[in-house]
Amino acid sequence: MDASAIKVAQAGTVESMDCRVTIAESDCPMIIEISGISAARFKAAMQAKVADVLESLGASQDACLKVDVQDNGAIDVVLGARVEAAYLRFIGVYES
Amino acid sequence: MLYLPGNNPNMLLRGHLFKPDGLIIDLEDSVSRHEKDAARILARDVLKRGEFGKCEVTVRINGTETDLWREDISFVVPQGVSGVRAPKVETPQAVKDLDEEISSVESKSGVQVGSTKIFCLLETALGVWNAYDIAKSSPRVTAIIPGGEDLAADLRTSRSKEGTELEWVRRMLIVAARAAGVDALDTVFPNISDGDGLRREAGFVKQLGFDGKSVIHPSQIPIIHEIYTPTDREIDTAQRIVAAAKEAAERGLGAVALDGRMIDAPVIRRAEFTLERAGQMGKSENRG
């Protein structure tokens, strides 16, 4: 894949209680990577939340996406909101 | 009432811990144009979560002169917010447009039609001039609020420490609000490090008759509460007035004296209002 043509969208910040979600075109199936202060303890739960939100927006686990979450203490509701914003930007509903 | 930047999870989730009477989730000035989408989604989900303690929650949407406000309403009204704060309201027609849009969203989302209040921010000379008509333009209007920085700019002046430039505006809005039967709430005090200035301004607007004042920093909340909470002595006097009035009514008397002073209808209304502020009549109206 030509790196210069990869579509990327982002939402959120790395401020306290927030997270930055980056969604990019990638190989299939979907890859969800979690880093930051909650990753060690809650990685599986956070990956499940990301997958749930994307599924609700029409992106299944087979989608050719890489989702990267840099966490700084985001609770569930914030993670979900950031994933939704990033994905809607990714598919062009919103401009980022 | 504490303003919370709409795209800041830390403040949105923790704002109620500072114990303001109300929270204002801001989708307008504190959110940059390219973050409006993310802020709406975050605000919607935080509202849905609904953990705000005892605070009344309103949302400041983007102004009706923008292409953003309808989508703001579509995100927050279905969550059952107490009200929306509409910035830069200049005409009764703007309120009617808001009312119509809110009704449509309430109806589609199963929220009781008419339950979402409108707080009108009057941030231009025209808006202030039309204050009474704006306040009467919809039964949803619950308060009118003078602008601060935007209004000063529209008046071709700037904000001073003394607030001279807003003094007449505040006096006018009190008259308009009372004539229309809505609340008058004051604008923010922008200098968060000047507690004495805030105390002075809050005391002034309370004396004018304002029902509360918005704040932009948690450190300002205790000062507003200090100004607006009735003292024990005021509460005691008010309780005795209300009790004396009740007794007079039961005895069929039109008026009664207490401590050598005639108690008539305006005195009783003021006493009841003091008790409301103190939360002793089943309703607390003091707002910080």
Side-chain angles (χ1 to χ4, degrees):
Chain A
M1 188 179 293
D2 176 3
S4 64
I6 291 176
K7 194 163 99 176
V8 178
Q10 206 167 60
T13 71
V14 288
E15 298 293 314
S16 174
M17 300 185 77
D18 202 353
C19 62
R20 177 180 288 149
V21 175
T22 307
I23 297 180
E25 289 175 312
S26 179
D27 297 329
C28 314
M30 187 189 299
I31 302 163
I32 302 172
E33 292 188 347
I34 312 284
S35 61
I37 65 173
S38 302
R41 290 181 63 196
F42 302 112
K43 188 172 185 176
M46 293 172 77
Q47 284 175 320
K49 175 70 181 181
V50 172
D52 281 352
V53 172
L54 290 174
E55 179 92 42
S56 73
L57 295 169
S60 72
Q61 304 234 9
D62 297 331
C64 304
L65 298 175
K66 181 182 176 194
V67 183
D68 178 58
V69 179
Q70 289 175 266
D71 175 61
N72 192 13
I75 63 170
D76 207 49
V77 68
V78 176
L79 174 60
R82 294 321 195 187
V83 170
E84 181 175 338
Y87 185 69
L88 293 179
R89 287 173 176 180
F90 181 81
I91 62 174
V93 172
Y94 296 122
E95 291 177 9
S96 56
Chain B
M1 293 140 287
L2 174 64
Y3 272 100
L4 306 174
N7 202 33
N8 182 326
N10 193 343
M11 285 301 291
L12 290 181
L13 296 170
R14 293 175 62 243
H16 68 282
L17 301 176
F18 300 103
K19 299 194 186 305
D21 296 306
L23 295 170
I24 307 162
I25 297 175
D26 183 31
L27 298 178
E28 199 214 11
D29 286 349
S30 68
V31 179
S32 64
R33 172 83 199 196
H34 64 276
E35 288 294 335
K36 299 288 188 191
D37 58 339
R40 280 192 200 107
I41 293 168
L42 181 64
R44 178 201 64 197
D45 289 358
V46 171
L47 284 165
K48 204 178 286 181
R49 179 172 178 260
E51 294 184 16
F52 299 108
K54 294 178 179 172
C55 296
E56 177 184 57
V57 182
T58 59
V59 177
R60 180 166 73 169
I61 59 172
N62 290 280
T64 54
E65 80 285 2
T66 71
D67 59 352
L68 301 164
W69 67 279
R70 290 182 195 274
E71 198 163 4
D72 291 343
I73 284 173
S74 76
F75 271 70
V76 301
V77 166
Q79 314 315 320
V81 290
S82 295
V84 296
R85 291 180 173 245
K88 301 179 184 67
V89 175
E90 292 195 310
T91 63
Q93 186 57 49
V95 178
K96 287 174 183 161
D97 293 343
L98 272 166
D99 189 331
E100 193 178 316
E101 185 71 18
I102 292 170
S103 292
S104 168
V105 173
E106 284 175 336
S107 181
K108 284 179 199 156
S109 56
V111 173
Q112 187 184 344
V113 176
S115 62
T116 310
K117 303 171 200 162
I118 298 176
F119 297 70
C120 298
L121 293 153
L122 310 180
E123 302 179 272
T124 63
L126 181 59
V128 171
W129 196 255
N130 287 333
Y132 173 79
D133 291 334
I134 287 169
K136 293 291 280 184
S137 59
S138 161
R140 292 182 189 271
V141 177
T142 193
I144 53 175
I145 307 158
E149 303 298 332
D150 286 314
L151 180 56
D154 197 53
L155 294 171
R156 298 184 193 171
T157 179
S158 58
R159 294 198 67 178
S160 65
K161 199 170 179 178
E162 301 75 25
T164 312
E165 65 286 346
L166 296 183
E167 190 176 320
W168 183 85
V169 167
R170 285 173 164 138
R171 293 178 194 276
M172 182 184 172
L173 287 204
I174 274 294
V175 176
R178 295 294 172 255
V182 303
D183 284 348
L185 302 174
D186 195 42
T187 188
V188 300
F189 185 77
N191 187 345
I192 59 174
S193 60
D194 183 6
D196 289 341
L198 172 61
R199 190 172 283 106
R200 206 164 37 242
E201 184 169 283
F204 174 66
V205 300
K206 182 194 172 196
Q207 184 59 31
L208 286 183
F210 276 81
D211 299 287
K213 186 170 175 64
S214 303
V215 297
I216 50 171
H217 193 274
S219 67
Q220 297 180 317
I221 295 168
I223 296 174
I224 302 300
H225 283 166
E226 172 195 318
I227 297 292
Y228 271 91
T229 303
T231 64
D232 289 345
R233 189 174 170 183
E234 288 170 334
I235 293 169
D236 179 63
T237 303
Q239 284 172 332
R240 291 196 303 123
I241 289 170
V242 171
K246 188 178 171 196
E247 187 186 335
E250 284 168 358
R251 289 166 56 195
L253 301 173
V256 67
L258 180 73
D259 301 335
R261 185 181 175 191
M262 186 64 70
I263 297 172
D264 52 13
V267 175
I268 297 164
R269 272 205 304 275
R270 276 202 302 277
E272 288 172 343
F273 185 57
T274 298
L275 295 181
E276 281 179 10
R277 278 211 165 118
Q280 298 198 7
M281 289 194 69
K283 180 183 169 196
S284 177
E285 288 288 333
N286 61 313
R287 294 162 170 160

